Amino acid sequence: MWFFMNQKSSDMLENMNIKRLLITLSIPATLGMMVNALYNLIDAFFVSKGAGQIALGALTLAFPVQIVITAVGIMIGIGSASVFSRAFGRKDYETMKTAVNTALRIDLLIAGLISIVGYIFLDELLVLFAASESNVEYAKDYLGVILLGLVPLSLTIVMNNLARAEGRPKIAMITMMIGAGLNIILDPIFIFDFGLGLGVKGAAMATVISQSIAFMYALFNALSPKSSLKIDVTNWLKIHLKTAKEILSIGLPTFVRNSIGAVLTIVILNLISFYSPGDSAIYTSIYGVINRIMAFIFMPGFGLVQGLAPIAGFSYGAKNYKRLTDSVIFATTLIMAYFAFGFIFIQLFAESIFTAFSEEGNDTAFFISYGARSFKIISYGFLLLGLQIMLSSLYQALGYPIRALIVATSRQFWLFLPIALVMTQLFALEGIWMTFAIADILAGLISFVMLRYELNIFKRKHREQVNQNSGLIMQV
């Protein structure tokens, strides 16, 4: 059974029409990730309606921890998927099995450690995250529970990446839909007075329960005879160090990018606290809404490049440079068109978005008007953002960790932080939102140059193959 499943997935990655294959692999990942991001939006919606706009700041202050644990899962998931996909292309089944089990074990170790340390130093973390008197108690209630569910969340991310790598993207999609769907159902029951009436803490409990059930579904399918993952549940302390090193080195750019996102969030929260006229809580909540909407908008882009990853990894491993080039060009065209649509959407509907997350109060009109204006400024960066996402993901899929690291850090570190320091000096709080757009545009321009360079290399290698094959035919 395992052989035939491998053969079917191998034939699909090698022979199916590129456009059809990319869409086939991307749609389940996109739908699953959008549903996953949607539950984050609904989570915030219910909190705003059940506890008010200031309580949204609690969810915002939990961002850095959630970003880091997600970064761990994605790092190990993408790294192991890259090793798995290239081994799949070579039909190296032993390496495939080793990659899967090593990935799950190191993720369990790292996520568990983060959970324990974070819970012990919760108060110190909230001081670091610039919590204000208005939202710090909400943040303690929320983050204190979220920390308990980091392990199943991270493991689920790893297993979803591996499910896509073996050609079963629907399993990953259903897993995310289970977690998101349950969270949407449980949120009002746990938050509002007609249910348990737990407020912000109830939102966190709903999230942890939902993610744990989603993990159990992913694990059940991975243990199925239909799966190529071949999980060994008997030797959880055994880690293949060479494979672990390869997984971590490939996934490191993603971890750095997302962890820098956590550092960036902390910097932004502190800048908001420093430059806010008065209590920073309302501005923290505005930033939180923008972050969640951006995450939702970004998901189809991320789903697209996740669909591209197994195609690129397999084609590169099989030295099929023509197929690799065609897939990258098509994916780039799609992602650029999509983010242009995202820009237009924000320009038209920013006010409506903030209205949906507001509750009647003295600061409601300001929350809507200032939030919408800030988001419109940020969205100008969407016009070139797709290039940076595409290039970074391509390098990861091909096993180029250093190149991926350069691209991954350009937008959120090398460019954002120095620009933010200058712009906030010139424009105070407004400078933060301007920095997002400027950094995304510059990162997109750099990525465009690098992507063209890589595509020219692939085309040259394809021409060399054609000339070599022509020479062999002439000799025959």
Side-chain angles (χ1 to χ4, degrees):
M1 175 63 75
W2 185 30
F3 171 77
F4 289 113
M5 289 295 296
N6 284 334
Q7 190 64 43
K8 180 180 178 181
S9 298
S10 177
D11 290 343
M12 178 180 70
L13 291 169
E14 188 171 7
N15 300 312
M16 184 182 287
N17 175 270
I18 282 293
K19 295 181 179 179
R20 181 184 173 191
L21 177 60
L22 181 62
I23 293 172
T24 298
L25 294 178
S26 298
I27 286 179
T30 298
L31 291 177
M33 293 175 75
M34 285 188 73
V35 171
N36 202 43
L38 180 62
Y39 97 76
N40 281 320
L41 288 180
I42 294 177
D43 207 31
F45 173 79
F46 283 132
V47 168
S48 69
K49 299 304 180 184
Q53 283 130 217
I54 298 301
L56 284 173
L59 281 63
T60 309
L61 292 168
F63 275 159
V65 173
Q66 291 175 310
I67 289 172
V68 168
I69 198 62
T70 300
V72 170
I74 296 176
M75 170 182 67
I76 297 172
I78 287 181
S80 58
S82 176
V83 175
F84 184 95
S85 293
R86 285 180 284 126
F88 206 168
R90 300 190 305 268
K91 297 179 173 55
D92 182 354
Y93 303 124
E94 186 61 32
T95 297
M96 290 163 61
K97 180 179 178 180
T98 301
V100 171
N101 288 283
T102 300
L104 294 177
R105 290 163 191 168
I106 59 178
D107 184 77
L108 177 63
L109 179 65
I110 296 173
L113 183 62
I114 292 173
S115 180
I116 294 170
V117 173
Y119 197 83
I120 292 172
F121 296 102
L122 177 58
D123 290 339
E124 289 79 3
L125 284 176
L126 292 176
V127 171
L128 177 64
F129 300 163
S132 71
E133 292 183 4
S134 301
N135 57 27
V136 67
E137 292 303 321
Y138 290 122
K140 285 183 181 179
D141 286 344
Y142 187 78
L143 189 53
V145 176
I146 288 294
L147 285 166
L148 301 178
L150 297 185
V151 170
L153 170 61
S154 190
L155 283 172
T156 301
I157 294 171
V158 174
M159 295 177 73
N160 282 346
N161 277 276
L162 288 169
R164 295 186 193 99
E166 68 165 332
R168 301 176 78 201
K170 289 183 180 179
I171 298 298
M173 179 188 71
I174 294 172
T175 298
M176 289 188 287
M177 292 180 71
I178 288 173
L182 282 174
N183 204 110
I184 292 170
I185 293 170
L186 294 177
D187 257 345
I189 296 173
F190 279 74
I191 293 172
F192 294 110
D193 289 337
F194 65 75
L196 297 179
L198 297 175
V200 172
K201 182 178 289 186
M205 292 176 65
T207 297
V208 171
I209 292 170
S210 302
Q211 290 295 338
S212 298
I213 294 174
F215 164 69
M216 288 188 283
Y217 174 81
L219 180 62
F220 174 80
N221 279 279
L223 294 173
S224 166
K226 296 180 180 180
S227 175
S228 302
L229 301 184
K230 299 303 171 185
I231 296 175
D232 181 1
V233 297
T234 60
N235 296 301
W236 278 100
L237 297 179
K238 183 179 179 181
I239 296 176
H240 193 277
L241 295 180
K242 182 179 179 181
T243 303
K245 181 180 178 181
E246 184 176 7
I247 289 171
L248 294 175
S249 66
I250 293 170
L252 182 63
T254 298
F255 177 77
V256 171
R257 179 179 63 198
N258 287 304
S259 295
I260 285 176
V263 174
L264 189 64
T265 299
I266 295 170
V267 171
I268 292 171
L269 289 172
N270 280 274
L271 287 173
I272 289 173
S273 177
F274 184 80
Y275 286 105
S276 295
D279 192 348
S280 64
I282 190 68
Y283 299 99
T284 299
S285 295
I286 287 172
Y287 172 57
V289 171
I290 291 174
N291 241 344
R292 286 175 182 267
I293 297 294
M294 286 176 64
F296 181 73
I297 292 174
F298 284 9
M299 287 305 106
F302 292 143
L304 179 66
V305 295
Q306 286 197 14
L308 174 67
I311 304 173
F314 187 95
S315 299
Y316 190 72
K319 300 185 184 302
N320 190 340
Y321 298 109
K322 176 66 166 60
R323 190 170 177 82
L324 174 61
T325 302
D326 291 344
S327 63
V328 171
I329 291 175
F330 181 60
T332 302
T333 302
L334 290 181
I335 200 169
M336 291 294 290
Y338 171 73
F339 278 107
F341 171 78
F343 166 75
I344 296 171
F345 177 82
I346 296 302
Q347 294 298 316
L348 294 177
F349 299 107
E351 287 84 1
S352 298
I353 290 169
F354 275 89
T355 300
F357 287 92
S358 63
E359 188 68 8
E360 286 300 324
N362 295 330
D363 55 5
T364 300
F366 177 79
F367 178 77
I368 295 171
S369 63
Y370 186 83
R373 182 160 57 88
S374 302
F375 204 1
K376 287 179 180 180
I377 294 171
I378 289 173
S379 68
Y380 280 94
F382 288 11
L383 296 173
L384 293 180
L385 179 62
L387 292 168
Q388 192 263 353
I389 295 174
M390 175 59 61
L391 184 63
S392 179
S393 299
L394 176 64
Y395 280 150
Q396 289 164 355
L398 303 186
Y400 294 158
I402 302 301
R403 297 180 191 179
L405 180 61
I406 294 171
V407 178
T409 55
S410 64
R411 171 176 169 253
Q412 293 182 316
F413 187 75
W414 305 113
L415 295 175
F416 191 99
L417 290 181
I419 293 172
L421 292 176
V422 173
M423 296 302 289
T424 50
Q425 287 290 321
L426 295 175
F427 302 101
L429 197 61
E430 298 288 324
I432 297 174
W433 322 125
M434 296 177 186
T435 300
F436 276 97
I438 296 171
D440 285 346
I441 290 171
L442 290 177
L445 292 173
I446 294 170
S447 297
F448 174 74
V449 174
M450 296 178 70
L451 185 60
R452 285 195 62 181
Y453 172 78
E454 296 299 336
L455 287 174
N456 286 334
I457 291 176
F458 300 151
K459 290 176 181 179
R460 189 188 72 235
K461 289 184 176 180
H462 172 65
R463 288 195 299 269
E464 291 173 354
Q465 287 178 331
V466 171
N467 292 336
Q468 185 177 10
N469 292 335
S470 298
L472 291 174
I473 293 173
M474 291 292 292
Q475 291 178 8
V476 172

